[in-house]
Amino acid sequence: MSRPEEIAPPEYFYNEEEANKYTTNSRIIEIQAKMSQRAIELLNLPEPGCLVLDLGCGSGLSGEELTECGHFWIGLDISKAMLDVASERGVEGDIILSDLGDGFTFLPGTFDGAISISALQWLCNAEKADHNPYKRLAKLFESLYSALGRGRRAVFQFYPAHPQQIEMITQAAVKCGFLADLIIDFPNSTKAKKYYLVLYSGAHQNYKQFQPLDGDDQVKFSKRDKTHKKSKKMHKHSREWILEKKAKQRKQGKEVRHDSKYTGRKRKDKF
Amino acid sequence: MRLVTLNLLMCNSEECSGRNQALTLNPGEITPGTTQFNHDLTIRMLGKLDWLAFVNAALRLGHELPDNITEADHQNSELIQRIFDILFNVEIQTGELLCPNCNRTYPIEKGIPNMLPQDH
């Protein structure tokens, strides 16, 4: 998997060329929209007409989903080129050029929620000599905690490079007073796997109410099955083999044709 | 940048930490917006805004508003519509934000306020 955050700092990586991809590339747009919709679902806002903060709003793709749900959003991003694209597209939210790692200040307790799509991993790298990733994350969460109303949530979709990064991020968030919950969608797939960090400010209610898409996020323990070796190996391309393979791909969130009586059946010779 | 953001946004410099203040606006070019009227949002915002600061900011741009908003005013759809228009449909394209506490200025270009520290 390519990791753009390891190539250059966000304000340089997202130049005009890169920013334009976010208006022309339909694949990027689709993925961003899907992740935003899931994040909004996890945000669980009570009714339309809420004020939402979008951290790392970029060209405003995630904001458009918020607008569609009837919310108003204020977006922060460090890339000028991406924000220019957003304002050219005429997004319905307000955008501000700002470095998340430096924190931000709003009137305390104003926001009804916050989302962030693929931004957090950018803060895990030290781009300058005086950058300390942990401190920058802490600053972000501190600012967020004061900007959010009590009992509100923030949902961060991000791509962690390694487990320690998840630990660092959650630690920084918990230290600022949040309750944190990590939801992993499609845990069995390398490609469709998505991490959502849900932060709760204040109230415990509804904590851990969401389940990851497609079940098993927990490792199942079982004693080693001694009879396992004896079990008959499936013939490749047999019906059972095909059914199992399809089930596996379904778990990974791929598009798979439904099973029918024709599944795995041979064609007639004359074909 | 709309007036709603101006009202909520505060100075983020280290000097101001702990006693952050609302920013004052030196307006440049201003254009009308096209945001669709949203009643729920406006009512919700009324509970959040720093109303006095908003009235002052609106006055400087030539919009007059009452000093107080009561519960009864929530039913006054004409007033709510007017508040919405001033909050969401006045877009500041260029100008400058000034912090009265630390005297830092933040430029607004193409409707985007630049809140980055100056060494950027």
Side-chain angles (χ1 to χ4, degrees), chain A residues 22 27-37 61-62 65 117-118 159:
Chain A
Y22 281 75
R27 190 180 145 267
I28 291 183
I29 293 175
E30 195 195 324
I31 293 178
Q32 292 276 327
K34 264 196 193 151
M35 293 193 297
S36 315
Q37 281 159 9
L61 291 171
S62 43
E65 297 298 326
I117 305 298
S118 313
Y159 296 104

Side-chain angles (χ1 to χ4, degrees), chain A residues 25 58 167 204 229:
Chain A
N25 187 326
E167 205 174 303
H204 286 250
K229 269 184 188 167

Side-chain angles (χ1 to χ4, degrees), chain A residues 11 46-51 70-72 74 76-78 80 83-84 87-88 91-99 102-112 128 139 143 152, chain B residues 1-14 17 20 22 34-36 38 40-42 44-45 48-50 87-88 91 109-117 119-120:
Chain A
E11 62 269 43
E47 58 218 354
C50 285
L51 184 67
H71 307 302
F72 184 78
I74 295 179
L76 305 178
D77 205 289
I78 195 172
K80 186 135 193 6
L83 291 179
D84 283 343
S87 86
E88 270 162 38
V91 290
E92 291 259 312
D94 248 355
I95 43 183
I96 299 170
L97 186 65
S98 149
D99 185 357
D102 278 342
F104 44 84
T105 318
F106 286 99
L107 217 59
T110 36
F111 286 92
D112 299 311
K128 287 185 192 162
K139 190 105 199 197
S143 310
R152 302 296 186 177
Chain B
M1 184 193 194
R2 297 163 168 87
L3 283 190
V4 58
T5 313
L6 172 69
N7 195 277
L8 300 179
L9 193 62
M10 292 169 125
C11 181
N12 191 41
S13 73
E14 262 173 49
S17 76
N20 310 62
T34 54
T35 315
Q36 260 186 4
N38 187 333
D40 296 345
L41 179 65
T42 321
R44 200 180 275 267
M45 288 313 300
K48 293 177 176 176
L49 291 176
D50 179 352
L87 269 180
F88 292 97
E91 292 188 12
E109 286 164 30
K110 293 194 210 166
I112 306 169
N114 180 346
M115 300 299 286
L116 295 175
D119 57 310
H120 262 271

